Amino acid sequence: SGRPECGQCQTAELLDALWPGVHVSPAALARAVYKARRALGDAGAPHRVIATVHGVGFRFVAPLRR
């Protein structure tokens, strides 16, 4: 998919992965990300877990732990 950065997902890629074969608007994805942010305590700006990449999609920005 030619992602420029690790952890970054294009909107169309996420829509296809989350709702395969179903026509879903980008607004539905934005709502799902909003709910995920709230569940993770990431409702404030700047976001610490899921950042918006304007014109592209979203990026997971939280540090990973093993």
Side-chain angles (χ1 to χ4, degrees), residues 4-47:
E5 277 193 50
C6 181
Q8 185 168 306
C9 298
Q10 297 177 350
T11 299
E13 181 180 16
L14 282 171
L15 289 171
D16 290 344
L18 296 173
W19 294 282
V22 179
H23 177 72
V24 178
S25 73
L29 176 60
R31 182 73 178 155
V33 169
Y34 169 79
K35 288 181 176 185
R37 284 175 173 153
R38 284 190 49 163
L40 295 167
D42 192 26
H47 296 292

